[in-house]
Amino acid sequence: MPHPLRVSGLTAVLSMLVLALAACTDRTAQPTASAGAGDEGGTIVISTAADAGSLLPTLVTSITDREVTDLLFDRLAEIGYSLNTVGDKDFSPQLAERWEWASDSMSIVFHINPKARWHDGAPVRASDVRYSFGLIRDSTVGSPIASLVSNVDSVSVRDSLTAVVWYKHHVPEQFYDFVYQVVVVPEHILSNTPGAQLKSADVTRRGIGSGQFRLAKWEPGVRLELVADTANYRGRPKVDRILFLVSPDYNAAATRFFSGEADVLEGLRADLIPKMATDTTRRVIRFPSLNYSYLRFNAVDPTAPSRPHPIFGDRAVRRALSMAIDRRAMLRNVFDTIGHLAYGPFPTASSLADSTLSQLPYDTMQARALLNGAGWRVGPDGIRVKNGRRLEFALATPSSSAIRHQYAVLIQDALRRVGAAVRIDESDFPSFTAGQLARTHDAEMGSYNPDPSVSALRQSWATAGIGGDGQNYGSYSNPVVDALIDSAMTSFDAARTEDFAHRAFNRIIQDAPAVWLYENPSMAGVARRIHTTRIRADGYWSGLADWFIPAAERTARDRLGLRPTP
């Protein structure tokens, strides 16, 4: 099947797109100005194609969940722009105004800021920290991050403003393990609801947190409105209101942005950039991201998980199919020069990234030789057969992603040339995700946004990430990789950590449990009247409280006029 976007027919269009990007992009996404006197106020309207599913941080599963709860709730401390997860030097105080380590480093004492308040006016207490950790560990709650805090033994309360976190082992990321993963929630609001009922309980939709924004209104599938907590212990945000407008699909979300109904369009697609080249009211911002996309193979038989997959259980076959895919040509086809190649099971924004690692080459002759050696012979219709089974499989992809669909079609064509038949199995995002979690896909066009730590590698590519709340959806397992990841996670020597991680990356790449295709170009469309700040790679919304709209550039919808909360 020919791909709808052939390189030969796109040269002029893509050249114009690249020139347009250069003309209308704020490439560094650095602050455009400093807020001055009178610049507090205004409304930022964000157009999105996905509603939040939960406003309880313990149960967050989507990016929309994450960005909304990060605005409503606080952690004990906030990670820095470096995303350094070792030790605590790059973290700044949030709910905890200070902390001290025990002499043996097996516990950390956190002192809660006495000015911190929940949005209902109740003070934040050390017991809230203990409750928040217990909620994650409660098996009846089913938190997807339970395994990420497995090194935390317990939390004790020394007094109302002092919580002590106790650990099982002294490891480099233990501060990060608790502070980044455990978002503090209000015990007095949630504790009367049994853990098993929290997923559907109305109390979790109230979004009562301690963050700089508070929930004003949530109309599921329509809009979600946050307003500034004007008496917040960390200071009020620069804007009065954040409004998420939810559309049924991406095209509808884009229409709202270009019509002026919204100020921000999340995940700006490359094909929309030329439209903004001469736009005097909107611009493109590019920012760092941890997201990468891949073709993942299932190493086990979806119908009998105790057995290897009849096709992908063979390392030689996985390597052959990887070599049949020209990743660079596909990147150029879909993104022209604005795309970034993925080099392995890591984003390049990670401190452990290494783009110099040896890759499996694009080599169709070697791919055919490997398939021949594995016993797959070309049949009369050009599709290979082994022991009566055709080299044929389904490739799952979500209908919500046009880019992943384009890649699926290109991969279908490439693998056909070496004798493999690919059926594209496109479904809506909830159905795709359900199959991913159940490990029922033969192969999938996946996209992953890992945490900024070496432990994320264990979650997604180690044996420990298979099943449960793990994200090793292809059930890839290699004991050597497991040992290298464990060594990387426990070494206090930065150079050794990097060496262990790179050796693990190399083993994974050579085993070919996936084909790493591209890093999603992280772009957003933003109204020029919105002045942005520096953006952190784990979420563009990290500095949203400091975005501002100069008084002279406000429109009618900005005039909310919040006064300080008593």
Side-chain angles (χ1 to χ4, degrees):
M1 180 187 294
H3 190 270
L5 296 178
R6 289 189 178 276
V7 176
S8 58
L10 277 183
T11 304
V13 174
L14 289 176
S15 296
M16 181 179 70
L17 185 151
V18 174
L19 290 173
L21 178 64
C24 64
T25 299
D26 172 8
R27 292 185 179 274
T28 60
Q30 295 296 317
T32 52
S34 298
D39 282 337
E40 283 185 350
T43 295
I44 296 177
V45 181
I46 299 172
S47 185
T48 178
D51 197 4
S54 175
L55 297 187
L56 180 61
T58 316
L59 296 174
V60 161
T61 57
S62 73
I63 292 296
T64 306
D65 293 355
R66 170 73 185 274
E67 59 186 296
V68 174
T69 55
D70 275 359
L71 295 171
L72 293 173
F73 295 85
D74 281 346
R75 295 168 170 81
L76 289 172
E78 183 77 342
I79 196 168
Y81 288 99
S82 68
L83 296 182
N84 177 19
T85 61
V86 177
D88 63 0
K89 67 178 182 178
D90 287 341
F91 287 79
S92 58
Q94 208 165 75
L95 280 174
E97 61 179 359
R98 67 185 193 281
W99 52 84
E100 300 109 25
W101 291 72
S103 57
D104 61 0
S105 298
M106 294 299 288
S107 65
I108 306 174
V109 179
F110 290 94
H111 299 276
I112 307 299
N113 189 322
K115 296 180 181 179
R117 295 286 185 274
W118 297 109
H119 295 151
D120 64 355
V124 177
R125 294 298 186 221
S127 57
D128 293 315
V129 180
R130 179 178 59 191
Y131 173 77
S132 302
F133 171 67
L135 209 58
I136 295 173
R137 294 290 296 272
D138 185 346
S139 61
T140 67
V141 174
S143 173
I145 61 170
S147 66
L148 301 182
V149 293
S150 59
N151 186 43
V152 180
D153 179 77
S154 59
V155 178
S156 61
V157 174
R158 183 174 294 176
D159 57 49
S160 64
L161 292 175
T162 311
V164 184
V165 179
W166 301 86
Y167 295 87
K168 299 174 184 176
H169 307 286
H170 178 37
V171 295
E173 290 187 334
Q174 69 188 80
F175 187 87
Y176 159 87
D177 286 343
F178 191 89
V179 164
Y180 193 85
Q181 305 299 348
V182 181
V183 179
V184 182
V185 298
E187 180 181 26
H188 71 287
I189 298 291
L190 301 169
S191 60
N192 290 328
T193 304
Q197 298 176 19
L198 282 174
K199 282 186 179 179
S200 57
D202 183 67
V203 70
T204 63
R205 304 179 63 81
R206 295 168 62 189
I208 296 177
S210 59
Q212 290 179 286
F213 290 93
R214 58 173 68 210
L215 179 66
K217 184 185 296 183
W218 185 15
E219 299 176 56
V222 180
R223 56 192 278 150
L224 198 154
E225 182 179 352
L226 310 182
V227 295
D229 182 26
T230 57
N232 193 267
Y233 73 104
R234 291 199 289 132
R236 68 155 289 163
K238 298 293 191 298
V239 294
D240 286 339
R241 178 170 57 173
I242 303 291
L243 184 62
F244 293 87
L245 293 183
V246 183
S247 297
D249 55 49
Y250 183 86
N251 290 333
T255 297
R256 279 183 146 164
F257 173 67
F258 285 106
S259 70
E261 188 179 355
D263 301 300
V264 178
L265 176 62
E266 299 179 313
L268 184 72
R269 287 200 317 233
D271 60 298
L272 295 176
I273 293 174
K275 188 174 182 178
M276 299 181 67
T278 57
D279 197 320
T280 59
T281 61
R282 300 169 188 85
R283 74 186 192 282
V284 180
I285 61 170
R286 295 191 69 172
F287 47 90
S289 170
L290 297 176
N291 187 278
Y292 62 87
S293 294
Y294 52 79
L295 161 63
R296 190 196 287 259
F297 303 120
N298 197 341
V300 301
D301 189 338
T303 63
S306 61
R307 297 199 303 256
H309 194 282
I311 297 174
F312 307 126
D314 187 337
R315 180 176 183 266
V317 172
R318 298 196 305 267
R319 286 171 61 88
L321 297 181
S322 297
M323 292 179 186
I325 295 173
D326 189 344
R327 300 182 304 136
R328 292 186 182 276
M330 289 183 184
L331 185 78
R332 178 82 177 185
N333 192 324
V334 177
F335 294 111
D336 194 65
T337 60
I338 67 170
H340 296 282
L341 199 66
Y343 292 98
F346 53 84
T348 52
S350 165
S351 61
L352 295 173
D354 184 359
S355 61
T356 67
L357 290 169
S358 177
Q359 305 287 314
L360 293 178
Y362 169 56
D363 188 335
T364 54
M365 289 185 62
Q366 190 173 350
R368 293 186 181 96
L370 282 171
L371 291 172
N372 287 334
W376 293 92
R377 305 300 179 189
V378 178
D381 63 350
I383 301 304
R384 293 175 182 270
V385 179
K386 178 180 179 181
N387 299 330
R389 180 187 179 97
R390 283 164 57 85
L391 184 53
E392 183 175 3
F393 62 90
L395 175 56
T397 185
S399 57
S400 58
S401 174
I403 290 175
R404 281 191 259 179
H405 174 79
Q406 290 174 245
Y407 261 94
V409 174
L410 288 171
I411 289 168
Q412 181 185 54
D413 182 59
L415 296 188
R416 175 82 189 195
R417 299 180 189 198
V418 296
V422 177
R423 304 186 312 275
I424 298 176
D425 180 13
E426 194 165 70
S427 61
D428 59 50
F429 189 72
S431 299
F432 172 81
T433 302
Q436 192 176 53
L437 294 171
R439 276 73 170 175
T440 56
H441 296 156
D442 279 328
E444 66 187 32
M445 293 299 302
S447 185
Y448 188 45
N449 198 75
D451 284 345
S453 73
V454 68
S455 56
L457 188 63
R458 186 172 187 265
Q459 179 83 341
S460 54
W461 298 103
T463 305
I466 300 174
D469 61 354
Q471 295 173 319
N472 185 348
Y473 301 129
S475 299
Y476 167 71
S477 179
N478 183 325
V480 175
V481 169
D482 293 344
L484 288 168
I485 294 174
D486 287 343
S487 295
M489 290 175 59
T490 55
S491 173
F492 286 90
D493 183 306
R496 286 175 60 80
T497 295
E498 186 175 89
D499 178 62
F500 286 130
H502 290 178
R503 286 162 61 190
F505 294 156
N506 183 63
R507 284 273 186 165
I508 296 169
I509 292 168
Q510 298 307 313
D511 280 348
V515 182
W516 289 275
L517 299 169
Y518 61 92
E519 294 193 0
N520 293 292
S522 298
M523 299 180 289
V526 180
R528 291 186 182 274
R529 69 194 191 92
I530 307 293
H531 292 254
T532 61
T533 60
R534 186 177 179 185
I535 292 175
R536 221 171 57 202
D538 64 332
Y540 82 88
W541 57 89
S542 59
L544 202 54
D546 291 322
W547 293 19
F548 69 96
I549 307 166
E553 299 179 46
R554 293 183 195 153
T555 64
R557 70 169 175 241
D558 290 315
R559 299 187 179 98
L560 188 62
L562 286 179
R563 291 190 175 91
T565 305

